[in-house]
């Protein structure tokens, strides 16, 4: 599970795909970064949802995320409720 793509490999791949244009390289980097940010959000949403359904309090979740209870609850509470509602409708 420790397989991570080194940043240098991504940079090299983008440079090879767009060797003649720094703006095309930047555009490709923006697309990749946006994808990874969405993926990271989905990953956190999933595991915060799992922690809440396991009965973990917002204060403990916030501690593990490195934020306050209020910040964790503000960021994730609506998404956790929406995900729970969507799965119970199935």
């Amino acid at each position: 599970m420790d397989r991570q793509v080194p940043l240098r490999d991504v940079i090299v791949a983008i440079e090879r795909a767009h060797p003649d244009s720094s703006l095309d390289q930047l555009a490709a980097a923006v697309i990749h970064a946006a994808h990874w940010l969405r993926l990271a959000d989905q990953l956190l949403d999933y595991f915060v949802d799992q922690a809440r359904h396991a009965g973990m309090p917002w204060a403990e979740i916030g501690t593990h995320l490195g934020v306050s209870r209020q910040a964790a609850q503000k960021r994730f509470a609506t998404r956790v409720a929406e995900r729970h509602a969507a799965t119970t409708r199935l």
Side-chain angles (χ1 to χ4, degrees):
M1 182 63 202
D2 225 6
R3 186 182 163 333
Q4 298 177 2
V5 177
L7 177 60
R8 186 71 200 141
D9 291 355
V10 177
I11 291 169
V12 168
I14 290 172
E15 288 174 340
R16 284 183 182 154
H18 306 281
D20 299 324
S21 173
S22 59
L23 289 178
D24 288 344
Q25 292 171 356
L26 177 59
V30 167
I31 290 167
H32 286 285
H35 169 73
W36 292 328
L37 288 171
R38 280 190 307 274
L39 191 62
D41 278 344
Q42 291 170 357
L43 180 66
L44 290 177
D45 286 350
Y46 176 83
F47 283 105
V48 167
D49 184 52
Q50 295 299 305
R52 287 295 295 158
H53 283 94
M56 297 298 117
W58 283 112
E60 195 168 343
I61 291 170
T63 297
H64 281 79
L65 292 171
V67 299
S68 68
R69 172 195 63 80
Q70 295 90 340
Q73 194 170 13
K74 182 178 180 180
R75 178 174 175 188
F76 293 100
T78 302
R79 290 190 253 183
V80 167
E82 288 171 354
R83 182 185 308 270
H84 181 69
T87 58
T88 57
R89 283 191 298 248
L90 298 177

